[in-house]
Amino acid sequence: MIAALKEDNLLAFNEVYYAYHKKIYHFILRKTKSSFLAEEVTQLTFIKCWNYRASLDENLGIDIQLFRIARTTLVDQLRKTTAYQEKVIHVVNSYLIPQDELWNRMAEKELQQQLAKAMEEMPPMRRKVFEMSRFKGMSYQQIAHELSLSSRTVEAHIFQATRQLRHYLGPLLLAWWIGNH
């Protein structure tokens, strides 16, 4: 199979793809609990397999090499996601401060509307945890204690809220940042 891949055999690649796509997807899904990330990493795994087929080791099974590529790709994606989230959190936090002047400091009316829309669309508990953290300045432990949740659950709510805000505000924040720097 590897020899056929090295010879640019698309039929062999299709065979590998159909034999391992679901296995790679479920492997990543078990690790991340994120269908989005599992889909992304699975696709990137097969893209990398094809792009670097000439360097595949004929002494190792294709399954071993695919799972190695998947693990490496997952680590890369998590690093990129974490770095991006930290940047977005920094920008969002500069606006999500517990002060009455918050809305006055927002330069973009659309940004304000999108923030409100994103907050409205959050599940009630996620919104409450996020507001306690960002608007009231409470620590994860304080929120966990007040709401009878674990700190990990609070952390997960904050992560999901940040992800949702990034979805709604990311392009607007980027445009604002470019316009102001």
Side-chain angles (χ1 to χ4, degrees):
M1 186 62 68
I2 293 173
L5 288 173
K6 285 183 167 191
E7 293 176 5
D8 303 335
N9 186 324
L10 282 173
L11 292 175
F13 179 75
N14 283 339
E15 234 179 271
V16 169
Y17 180 85
Y18 288 110
Y20 292 100
H21 181 271
K22 285 184 181 180
K23 293 175 185 177
I24 298 288
Y25 174 84
H26 289 293
F27 171 72
I28 299 300
L29 184 62
R30 279 193 309 274
K31 298 279 186 202
T32 64
K33 309 289 189 261
S34 167
S35 59
F36 172 78
L37 196 54
E39 289 172 20
E40 191 77 13
V41 170
T42 301
Q43 289 304 315
L44 288 172
T45 297
F46 286 99
I47 290 169
K48 288 179 180 182
C49 177
W50 179 254
N51 289 342
Y52 301 106
R53 64 193 174 276
S55 62
L56 291 173
D57 186 343
E58 292 187 41
N59 297 320
L60 286 175
I62 189 68
D63 58 335
I64 293 170
Q65 294 181 75
L66 281 172
F67 281 94
R68 186 178 292 158
I69 293 169
R71 274 192 303 276
T72 304
T73 303
L74 175 59
V75 169
D76 291 345
Q77 287 298 107
L78 291 174
R79 283 184 184 142
K80 287 177 190 175
T81 300
T82 301
Y84 181 76
Q85 284 173 345
E86 288 172 1
K87 289 176 187 173
V88 170
I89 288 170
H90 176 73
V91 173
V92 169
N93 282 344
S94 69
Y95 287 93
L96 300 179
I97 54 176
Q99 299 176 6
D100 291 334
E101 67 190 68
L102 169 66
W103 301 110
N104 295 333
R105 287 182 18 173
M106 288 187 161
E108 299 285 338
K109 187 172 184 171
E110 188 175 355
L111 182 60
Q112 186 177 6
Q113 292 169 342
Q114 288 294 335
L115 175 63
K117 181 180 178 185
M119 295 292 289
E120 286 174 15
E121 290 189 14
M122 285 183 190
M125 183 58 73
R126 182 183 305 162
R127 182 174 52 243
K128 183 172 188 131
V129 168
F130 186 78
E131 288 171 347
M132 292 171 82
S133 172
R134 296 305 191 259
F135 297 137
K136 294 182 180 179
M138 296 174 70
S139 70
Y140 290 3
Q141 292 78 18
Q142 291 170 323
I143 297 167
H145 178 73
E146 187 167 318
L147 298 178
S148 300
L149 300 170
S150 72
S151 291
R152 298 288 270 160
T153 300
V154 170
E155 184 179 338
H157 279 300
I158 296 295
F159 174 81
Q160 291 297 330
T162 304
R163 177 194 259 174
Q164 191 169 349
L165 287 175
R166 183 180 71 214
H167 171 75
Y168 282 99
L169 303 179
L172 292 173
L173 287 174
L174 180 61
W176 174 85
W177 188 83
I178 290 171
N180 289 300
H181 288 87

